[in-house]
Amino acid sequence: MQELHDAPLAPLTTFRLGGPATRLVTATTDAEVIAAVRAADDSGTPLLVIGGGSNLVISDKGFDGTALRIATTGFELRGTTLELAAGEVWTDAVARTVEAGLAGIECLAGIPGSAGATPIQNVGAYGQEVSSTVTEVVAYDRRTGGTVTLANEECAFSYRHSRFKGDPERYVVLRVRFGLEDAGGLSAPVRYAEAARALGVEPGDRVPLADARETVLKLRAGKGMVLDLEDHDTWSAGSFFTNPILTDEQFAAFHARVRERLGDAAEPPAYPAGEGRTKTSAAWLIDKAGFTKGYGSGAARISTKHTLALTNRGGATTEDLLELAREVVAGVRKAFGVTLVNEPVTVGVSL
């Protein structure tokens, strides 16, 4: 187990932002993870768990406590059952399942970060969410001091949310198990309209697994959503805001604001999100509120490829990023009466 003091955290995040940690521990086994967590808890030291760093916004002042970087490895396939150690690189794991001819997570290709973070955020893209394939999550329970195995239904998955995200101080994910599908080399049914168009098929059709993965990677790259250290448009957390889910009453008020601002023929994106609830598009809201691709004049700007990504153009500070995020939130609220919620986890700061 490696230990560093006054260690910079910015290089461990996809934003390349944030100050140092008082102490940085890198754990390469589950036992080391548990030992580091227990040591912090026993001494009353604040703990920050870091996986791939793709969903973190860390204060410029850094973190006064122990930052635990989970660098565990483990990829095990038994038939259609996959077990990943929390530190496994997610996009590499997806590629290996595609090579093995198993369907279920192929449309989650290119998402940066670690496997352990996927159930926390209920990671999803292009019509797939990990909640559809996760069977069990093995975690260290800081409240009881023991390891627990939680079945899918115990994880309380919902849109970009889970039991783990709802109680962030309790669980540290160690391993994630998935139930995949052997569909003879074909993908799961393609659910996302944009992906179906790019593949030249109808929603619900299946395609060769490799075609699905490559198409998603191309779509993501076109939006700056595949990490490239040479491209500042990818120095981001991917989608910075979640898509708002509105009650019928809220959606009616929002719809009226849309027509007032954009004309009587204007129709905002609307997708069913459960009884009495409708999901709309955060990217659409941002764009229609006047924050177009490339918006901004400082070191933190909206991506030139996608309005949902806020980026560090190099030399930005966390406060630069937050100022931009707050401007976008205020502008969307003023234009449409909808309050955007940030998707990344904030450490030592807030919007």
Side-chain angles (χ1 to χ4, degrees):
M1 187 157 53
Q2 183 187 65
E3 181 176 330
L4 299 172
H5 294 271
D6 195 29
L9 295 179
L12 302 182
T13 74
T14 53
F15 266 125
R16 298 298 187 267
L17 295 175
T22 306
R23 178 172 173 261
L24 172 64
V25 173
T26 299
T28 57
T29 67
D30 289 354
E32 289 182 351
V33 172
I34 292 170
V37 175
R38 282 178 174 163
D41 289 347
D42 289 347
S43 62
T45 303
L47 180 70
L48 171 64
V49 177
I50 300 176
S54 60
N55 204 42
L56 283 179
V57 178
I58 299 173
S59 163
D60 290 317
K61 295 180 180 179
F63 183 71
D64 185 12
T66 295
L68 170 60
R69 178 172 171 259
I70 297 182
T72 54
T73 57
F75 178 102
E76 185 178 357
L77 264 179
R78 299 183 300 277
T80 56
T81 299
L82 170 67
E83 179 175 296
L84 296 177
E88 279 289 328
V89 176
W90 174 252
T91 194
D92 292 349
V94 172
R96 292 177 69 177
T97 64
V98 169
E99 290 170 3
L102 296 177
I105 58 175
E106 62 279 0
C107 290
L108 303 179
I111 295 177
S114 64
T118 60
I120 297 172
Q121 190 73 5
N122 187 16
V123 164
Y126 295 99
Q128 289 182 346
E129 287 184 330
V130 295
S131 58
S132 298
T133 49
V134 167
T135 57
E136 294 179 328
V137 176
V138 180
Y140 176 69
D141 186 341
R142 297 169 68 185
R143 184 176 300 171
T144 65
T147 300
V148 296
T149 300
L150 300 173
N152 180 289
E153 57 271 19
E154 296 176 284
C155 295
F157 289 123
S158 60
Y159 173 63
R160 301 299 173 268
H161 199 74
S162 69
R163 178 177 186 171
F164 312 104
K165 188 173 182 179
D167 195 357
E169 301 300 317
R170 181 168 181 179
Y171 298 102
V172 177
V173 174
L174 302 173
R175 297 189 169 267
V176 188
R177 296 173 182 142
F178 301 84
L180 304 178
E181 178 189 7
D182 185 348
L186 296 180
S187 70
V190 178
R191 303 295 184 195
Y192 201 74
E194 182 184 16
R197 286 195 299 272
L199 286 159
V201 300
E202 293 297 318
D205 288 349
R206 295 177 184 261
V207 299
L209 277 163
D211 291 354
R213 176 178 175 270
E214 289 302 319
T215 296
V216 165
L217 286 173
K218 288 177 183 177
L219 289 171
R220 290 185 65 85
K223 299 173 183 179
M225 297 290 189
V226 176
L227 186 61
D228 179 351
L229 294 181
E230 302 302 316
D231 182 1
H232 286 289
D233 250 357
T234 72
W235 287 27
S236 73
S239 299
F240 194 88
F241 300 104
T242 57
N243 290 321
I245 296 178
L246 308 175
T247 64
D248 288 343
E249 183 180 354
Q250 290 170 332
F251 188 82
F254 162 59
H255 193 252
R257 294 282 286 270
V258 167
R259 292 194 166 185
E260 180 183 331
R261 181 180 178 89
L262 303 176
D264 289 342
E267 290 293 338
Y271 311 97
E275 187 175 352
R277 297 166 73 82
T278 301
K279 182 191 297 184
T280 191
S281 165
W284 185 91
L285 286 166
I286 292 167
D287 180 70
K288 298 304 181 183
F291 302 100
T292 53
K293 295 175 184 177
Y295 179 88
S297 57
R301 304 180 196 175
I302 290 177
S303 167
T304 64
K305 300 181 180 73
H306 199 288
T307 55
L308 205 47
L310 308 188
T311 65
N312 171 11
R313 311 307 298 184
T317 64
T318 299
E319 192 53 38
D320 292 335
L321 176 76
L322 292 174
E323 285 181 7
L324 175 61
R326 291 170 187 138
E327 183 183 1
V328 171
V329 170
V332 168
R333 186 188 298 120
K334 181 179 179 180
F336 299 113
V338 175
T339 299
L340 295 177
V341 176
N342 53 290
E343 186 168 328
V345 175
T346 55
V347 179
V349 292
S350 64
L351 290 190

